[in-house]
Amino acid sequence: LAKHTGRRLTWQPNHGSADVKAIMEESRHELNVSTYQMCILLLFNNHHSLSYQDIHLRTNIPLEELKRHLMSLYVNPKAKILVKSGHDKEKTKEPQDDDVFQVNSSFESKLFRIKVPLVQLKSMPGQDGSGLVRVDAGDGTAAVGGSDVPATVEEDRKHLVEAVIVRIMKSRKTLEHNQLMMEVTRHLTSRFQPAPTLIKQRIEKLIEREYLERSQHDRRVYNYLA
C-alpha cells in the first residue's frame, strides 16, 4: 500500500461467477453462472414469474448487461433455465418491457453440472443489434457469440484478461512469455477466445502499472511484483 498509494479498487460484479444449485421438477443440477445471472435466478426463489422491468428494478443491473445475462438464460437450448413469454416473443430474442419470465419447468439435461455461457450481441449494418451467432463453448455446452464485439464488452474483456494475468502470476511468481500466454488462454477459453495481441497489450499495461516486471536476465521472463 505504501508503494502504490494512488491505486483505486473498483468492484466489477460482471466478471464474477457462482455455482447455483437448481432443483427442477424432474432433476437437480449445479449451474455455473455469472454473478449477474445468479442475482436474476435467485429472484425466482420468491416469485413464480417476473417481468423484464421487475427484474431490472429488483437487481439494478445496467440494462445492456441485464439484456446479455438474461438472454443467456433462455436463448441457448442446452441451458434454457428460463422461458420468456410476451406479445412479440417470436419476432425477437431480445427481452422487451412487457415480456414475462419464469423458470423452465420442463428443463432437462443429462449433465449434473451445467455451465451457462454468455450471449454476445452481433450488430450488423441494417440490423437492430439482435443478431446472434452460435459457437461452441469448448466444454460440451453451446454458447452464443458474434464477431463484432460491443465497446463495453471489449472493455470488460481487457479487465478480465488483466485479472487472469495477475492471478496466474501471483500464484507462479515467475513465468516465461509463451507459458503465460498459454495459461491465460486456457483460463479464458470457457468465456471467450482472447487474441494474442490483446494478452500482450494487457501484459504491457500491467508492467507500466508495476504489477509485473521483466527479468533482468531474460526479457521474455516476467516476475510478479507483490
Side-chain angles (χ1 to χ4, degrees), residues 6-20:
R7 288 183 178 172
R8 176 183 297 176
L9 297 178
T10 303
W11 182 253
Q12 295 181 315
N14 54 319
H15 290 157
S17 63
D19 291 331
V20 178

Side-chain angles (χ1 to χ4, degrees), residues 5-221:
T5 55
R7 288 183 178 172
R8 176 183 297 176
L9 297 178
T10 303
W11 182 253
Q12 295 181 315
N14 54 319
H15 290 157
S17 63
D19 291 331
V20 178
K21 291 184 179 180
I23 303 175
M24 304 297 189
E25 290 188 4
E26 302 295 333
S27 59
R28 298 189 178 196
H29 302 279
E30 185 175 280
L31 308 177
N32 180 246
V33 296
S34 68
T35 303
Y36 282 159
Q37 289 172 331
M38 176 194 70
C39 294
I40 294 168
L41 290 175
L42 289 179
L43 294 176
F44 292 92
N45 281 336
N46 300 315
H47 300 86
H48 178 263
S49 61
L50 287 165
S51 69
Y52 182 46
Q53 289 181 324
D54 287 337
I55 294 173
H56 180 226
L57 290 173
R58 292 173 187 273
T59 61
N60 203 30
I61 297 173
L63 277 174
E64 282 304 310
E65 288 293 336
L66 177 60
K67 180 188 297 183
R68 189 162 67 103
H69 289 257
L70 180 59
M71 287 178 68
S72 302
L73 295 169
Y74 66 82
V75 298
N76 185 350
K78 294 185 179 180
K80 194 171 184 178
I81 312 302
L82 302 179
V83 290
K84 175 173 76 79
S85 59
H87 298 301
D88 299 323
K89 66 178 182 178
E90 299 300 331
K91 294 183 179 180
T92 176
K93 285 182 165 55
E94 293 191 9
Q96 307 298 312
D97 288 344
D98 61 345
D99 284 339
V100 175
F101 300 87
Q102 62 185 49
V103 175
N104 181 9
S105 58
S106 60
F107 175 77
E108 292 183 358
S109 176
K110 295 180 180 179
L111 301 174
F112 172 72
R113 181 176 172 82
I114 301 169
K115 181 176 179 60
V116 181
L118 280 179
V119 159
Q120 294 172 10
L121 302 182
K122 181 181 179 183
S123 298
M124 297 290 288
Q127 289 186 347
D128 60 359
S130 61
L132 300 173
V133 177
R134 301 201 59 75
V135 297
D136 194 318
D139 58 354
T141 59
V144 179
S147 58
D148 297 335
V149 181
T152 53
V153 176
E154 190 65 38
E155 192 64 27
D156 287 345
R157 288 182 174 182
K158 291 178 182 179
H159 294 303
L160 184 57
V161 171
E162 288 187 4
V164 170
I165 293 171
V166 170
R167 190 184 313 138
I168 292 170
M169 290 302 299
K170 186 175 182 180
S171 172
R172 304 287 290 275
K173 305 302 182 187
T174 299
L175 268 181
E176 192 268 336
H177 175 78
N178 288 339
Q179 289 180 314
L180 179 57
M181 295 284 288
M182 288 188 294
E183 284 287 317
V184 173
T185 301
R186 184 174 64 84
H187 277 74
L188 291 172
T189 298
S190 62
R191 297 197 176 197
F192 71 99
Q193 190 67 34
T197 52
L198 173 60
I199 301 175
K200 292 176 183 178
Q201 289 171 358
R202 302 337 294 173
I203 290 174
E204 292 299 326
K205 289 296 181 181
L206 290 171
I207 291 174
E208 290 177 12
R209 304 209 302 271
E210 299 182 346
Y211 282 94
L212 307 177
E213 69 173 2
R214 284 190 171 87
S215 171
Q216 295 180 355
H217 306 292
D218 187 345
R219 299 288 291 175
R220 289 184 60 80
V221 174

